[in-house]
């Protein structure tokens, strides 16, 4: 009797990646000593909403990037399949854009509660509004809400007529929504303000394109061999530039925030930086392996790419923990 081959449900894979990112962020925050200056409910609320917001935003960026990278109809043998994929991308953008908007709004409430040191249920509307408008981090969170709403609106419009709003516009709005929390958070108050803001913007944008693009390709094109073969090499070139940008900007950001080598080895924040650096080295190795397999004509390389995205989810969780930690 032949044994059935168990394959994971492709609809559950993104949920698994998101779960990995959330679990990593919460565990890393606790191990880095977040309980010294916050409560467990606040850590859970801000951690889950922050990672959830990042995952949904990255999904929007990745879907828009995939739509941009898809080949022209003249290059494929089945134009109908290409049209179905484009429709799937548009529908997925509506779902991810809606999730991004809801999670971003919840994130504002939980971060305001953490700032006031009160449970979220004890906050009033004026409390949340005062936090969101009175602090740079709050205004950045509101900008993310605005970008998520814009992505959702553009996605809904594209369902009726894709020609009205180009996917490149959705991609730019998504990237802006991902960048604003970083440049309005710790980086905005850094002593080396210009360097910190520039490096964190490049870091977040490159990571969003890299992680979101690969995840979208795996989920949407994983079982569509022709489109995958035409799209993956184009993305691989972009991924190489993203890896370089993420690495260099990450080193510069860590140097600006830590200030000394001692802080790297003797603080919880430094431990998170080291863990993220190790994950990036692993990602670089997996990316190199994928490129070599493609150069040898071994396409698709879904198993290795899936492992790469899982490791990206761990890195995303570590990044979320870093964004909520102080370098001390």
């Amino acid at each position: 009797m032949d044994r059935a081959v168990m394959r994971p449900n492709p609809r559950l894979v993104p949920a698994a990646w998101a779960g990995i990112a959330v679990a990593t962020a919460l565990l890393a925050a606790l191990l880095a000593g977040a309980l010294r200056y916050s409560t467990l409910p606040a850590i859970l609320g801000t951690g889950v909403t922050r990672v959830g917001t990042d995952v949904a935003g990255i999904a929007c960026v990745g879907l828009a990037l995939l739509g941009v990278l898809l080949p022209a109809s003249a290059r494929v043998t089945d134009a109908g399949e290409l049209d179905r994929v484009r429709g799937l991308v548009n529908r997925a953008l509506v779902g991810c854009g809606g999730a991004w908007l809801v999670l971003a709004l919840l994130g504002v409430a939980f971060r305001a509660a953490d700032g006031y040191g009160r449970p979220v249920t004890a906050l009033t509307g004026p409390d949340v509004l005062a936090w969101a408008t009175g602090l740079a981090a709050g205004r950045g969170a509101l900008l993310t809400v605005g970008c998520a709403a814009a992505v959702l609106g553009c996605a809904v419009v594209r369902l009726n007529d894709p020609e009205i709003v180009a996917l490149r516009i959705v991609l730019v709005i998504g990237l802006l929504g991902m960048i604003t929390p970083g440049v309005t958070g710790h980086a905005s108050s850094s002593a080396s303000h210009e360097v910190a803001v520039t490096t964190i913007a490049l870091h977040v944008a490159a990571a969003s394109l890299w992680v979101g693009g690969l995840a979208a390709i795996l989920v949407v094109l994983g079982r569509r061999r022709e489109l995958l073969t035409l799209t993956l090499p184009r993305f691989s070139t972009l991924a190489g530039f993203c890896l370089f940008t993420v690495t260099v900007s990450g080193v510069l950001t860590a140097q600006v925030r830590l200030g000394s080598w001692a802080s790297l080895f003797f603080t919880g924040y430094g431990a998170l930086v080291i863990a993220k650096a190790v994950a990036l080295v692993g990602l670089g190795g997996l990316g190199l392996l994928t490129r070599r397999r493609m150069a040898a004509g071994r396409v698709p390389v879904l198993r290795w790419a899936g492992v790469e995205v899982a490791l990206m989810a761990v890195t995303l969780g570590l990044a979320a923990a870093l964004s909520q930690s102080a370098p001390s």
Side-chain angles (χ1 to χ4, degrees):
M1 181 181 295
D2 294 335
R3 293 183 179 180
V5 178
M6 299 297 294
R7 296 183 181 273
N9 188 331
R11 295 183 179 181
L12 298 180
V13 172
W17 290 334
I20 292 172
V22 171
T24 302
L26 295 176
L27 180 61
L30 292 174
L31 291 177
L35 285 174
R36 293 197 304 267
Y37 49 85
S38 187
T39 63
L40 183 58
I43 293 172
L44 291 175
T46 56
V48 171
T49 55
R50 177 59 189 268
V51 177
T53 300
D54 287 346
V55 169
I58 287 173
C60 290
V61 170
L63 288 167
L65 176 62
L66 172 59
V68 172
L69 292 177
L70 284 173
S73 300
R75 296 187 60 197
V76 299
T77 57
D78 188 353
E81 177 72 359
L82 179 59
D83 290 337
R84 286 190 291 273
V85 169
R86 286 172 174 163
L88 175 60
V89 167
N90 289 332
R91 292 191 298 274
L93 266 174
V94 173
C96 291
W100 192 13
L101 178 58
V102 170
L103 287 165
L105 287 169
L106 288 174
V108 171
F110 276 103
R111 291 180 66 188
D114 189 39
Y116 285 116
R118 302 202 303 264
V120 68
T121 53
L123 292 183
T124 64
D127 290 335
V128 176
L129 184 61
W131 179 86
T133 58
L135 297 176
R139 292 190 291 272
L142 284 183
L143 286 173
T144 298
V145 170
C147 289
V151 167
L152 176 59
C154 291
V156 171
V157 170
R158 284 185 55 83
L159 283 180
N160 298 317
D161 187 353
E163 301 299 325
I164 294 179
V165 181
L167 273 175
R168 286 180 174 82
I169 295 177
V170 181
L171 179 59
V172 171
I173 296 173
L175 287 173
L176 287 175
M178 291 302 302
I179 289 171
T180 48
V183 300
T184 57
H186 293 300
S188 64
S189 58
S190 173
S192 303
H193 174 78
E194 293 82 4
V195 175
V197 168
T198 301
T199 55
I200 197 65
L202 290 172
H203 189 80
V204 173
S208 299
L209 290 169
W210 183 19
V211 178
L214 182 57
I217 287 172
L218 288 179
V219 173
V220 178
L221 302 184
R223 298 184 178 182
R224 296 173 170 89
R225 184 178 294 269
E226 181 186 16
L227 292 177
L228 180 67
T229 303
L230 292 171
T231 306
L232 193 56
R234 299 177 66 190
F235 172 76
S236 180
T237 301
L238 174 63
F241 287 108
C242 288
L243 174 59
F244 174 79
T245 302
V246 167
T247 302
V248 174
S249 60
V251 170
L252 292 175
T253 299
Q255 191 276 330
V256 169
R257 295 206 62 196
L258 287 170
S260 68
W261 287 105
S263 298
L264 178 64
F265 295 104
F266 299 106
T267 65
Y269 186 90
L272 291 178
V273 170
I274 293 174
K276 186 179 176 183
V278 171
L280 281 175
V281 171
L283 286 173
L286 287 172
L288 180 61
L289 176 62
T290 300
R291 290 179 69 89
R292 286 182 175 178
R293 290 170 68 87
M294 285 194 301
R298 302 169 70 179
V299 178
V301 285
L302 298 181
R303 179 176 299 177
W304 292 107
V307 174
E308 187 175 354
V309 175
L311 187 53
M312 285 176 173
V314 172
T315 309
L316 180 62
L318 292 170
L322 280 169
S323 69
Q324 300 177 74
S325 303
S328 60

